[in-house]
């Protein structure tokens, strides 16, 4: 098992449903780090579900709150699961990359659709053709995820445990964790 530096900061980025929260919790446990989900932190700040805020205030207002929350969270060591659109603002991409290691959990729109087909909580997927929406999001965001990322991990077939192992191996190869 890897032992991590207490100052290690890892941010997980990727499309909705790519596993950022699930993988992030397990990765934090494996490395002995704290875990925080930026969407949960945002909901605490706005005192309502993101979907409700998004519908009431609009995407721009949501992105303003998201930027402020990421500004705070990215300063702390630990594992941070970001929202799927966190990379839309250049300042977020720059801060995440400068303040820690960024792991892009890359998934195909088809894999995401299988995982999300019953999800009613993601505002951007509440459309008549969610698969096409995921394809559009992939086309728009993949270059931004790649710009921010230090590591790209394909989430296609591996289990959560295998994904965590793959991330830990990448961090070890980069000399960012010690082995015990």
């Amino acid at each position: 098992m890897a032992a991590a530096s207490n100052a290690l900061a890892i941010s997980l980025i990727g499309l909705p449903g790519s596993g950022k929260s699930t993988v992030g919790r397990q990765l934090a446990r494996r490395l002995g780090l704290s875990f925080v989900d930026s969407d949960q932190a945002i909901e605490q700040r706005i005192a309502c579900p993101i979907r409700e805020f998004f519908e009431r205030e609009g995407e721009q207002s949501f992105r303003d709150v998201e930027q402020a929350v990421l500004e705070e969270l990215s300063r702390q060591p630990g594992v941070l699961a970001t929202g799927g659109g966190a990379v839309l603002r250049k300042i977020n991409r720059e801060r995440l990359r400068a303040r820690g290691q960024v792991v892009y959990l890359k998934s195909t729109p088809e894999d995401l659709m299988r995982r999300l087909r019953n999800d009613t909580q993601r505002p951007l997927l509440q459309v008549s053709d969610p698969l096409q929406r995921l394809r559009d999001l992939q086309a728009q965001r993949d270059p931004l995820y790649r710009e921010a990322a230090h590591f790209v991990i394909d989430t296609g077939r591996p289990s959560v445990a295998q994904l965590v192992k793959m991330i830990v191996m990448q961090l070890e190869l980069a000399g960012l964790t010690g082995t015990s």
Side-chain angles (χ1 to χ4, degrees), residues 13-23 104-122 125 130-131 134 138 153-160 163:
I13 61 174
L15 286 171
S18 60
K20 300 176 298 287
S21 297
T22 304
V23 171
Y104 170 21
L105 297 180
K106 186 177 184 310
S107 303
T108 67
E110 292 74 18
D111 283 342
L112 294 172
M113 194 63 228
R114 277 192 291 281
R115 291 181 207 149
L116 298 174
R117 65 182 169 269
N118 298 317
D119 190 318
T120 60
Q121 298 308 305
R122 297 171 199 264
L125 298 181
L131 178 58
L134 286 167
Q138 174 79 12
I153 304 289
D154 190 336
T155 66
R157 295 286 171 237
S159 67
V160 171
L163 289 170

Side-chain angles (χ1 to χ4, degrees), residues 1-174:
M1 178 147 102
S5 159
N6 288 340
L8 185 61
I10 302 166
S11 295
L12 301 178
I13 61 174
L15 286 171
S18 60
K20 300 176 298 287
S21 297
T22 304
V23 171
R25 273 189 214 68
Q26 295 296 320
L27 180 63
R29 189 173 299 128
R30 168 86 183 263
L31 294 174
L33 296 170
S34 63
F35 170 76
V36 67
D37 182 313
S38 67
D39 284 348
Q40 289 178 350
I42 290 167
E43 287 185 340
Q44 287 176 344
R45 167 120 6 135
I46 60 179
C48 69
I50 288 174
R51 181 176 180 184
E52 181 183 313
F53 184 86
F54 211 91
E55 289 170 357
R56 187 178 68 237
E57 305 291 333
E59 184 171 0
Q60 189 65 35
S61 292
F62 170 74
R63 297 294 172 204
D64 291 343
V65 174
E66 179 180 55
Q67 181 179 325
V69 168
L70 288 173
E71 160 61 21
E72 294 168 22
L73 296 177
S74 66
R75 292 181 178 278
Q76 304 165 16
V79 177
L80 170 62
T82 66
V87 297
L88 293 174
R89 290 193 173 173
K90 185 174 181 65
I91 189 75
N92 292 342
R93 295 191 305 275
E94 291 171 349
R95 283 181 181 148
L96 291 172
R97 187 165 173 87
R99 294 177 179 171
Q101 299 303 305
V102 180
V103 179
Y104 170 21
L105 297 180
K106 186 177 184 310
S107 303
T108 67
E110 292 74 18
D111 283 342
L112 294 172
M113 194 63 228
R114 277 192 291 281
R115 291 181 207 149
L116 298 174
R117 65 182 169 269
N118 298 317
D119 190 318
T120 60
Q121 298 308 305
R122 297 171 199 264
L124 290 174
L125 298 181
Q126 305 313 305
V127 294
S128 60
D129 187 351
L131 178 58
Q132 186 56 50
R133 180 68 174 140
L134 286 167
R135 287 178 177 141
D136 294 344
L137 288 172
Q138 174 79 12
Q140 175 197 26
R141 295 179 181 178
D142 182 69
L144 304 176
Y145 292 136
R146 290 179 183 280
E147 178 186 322
H150 294 94
F151 307 101
V152 178
I153 304 289
D154 190 336
T155 66
R157 295 286 171 237
S159 67
V160 171
Q162 289 170 317
L163 289 170
V164 168
K165 256 188 214 174
M166 291 164 68
I167 295 168
V168 170
M169 283 178 24
Q170 290 296 318
L171 295 170
E172 287 175 351
L173 287 171

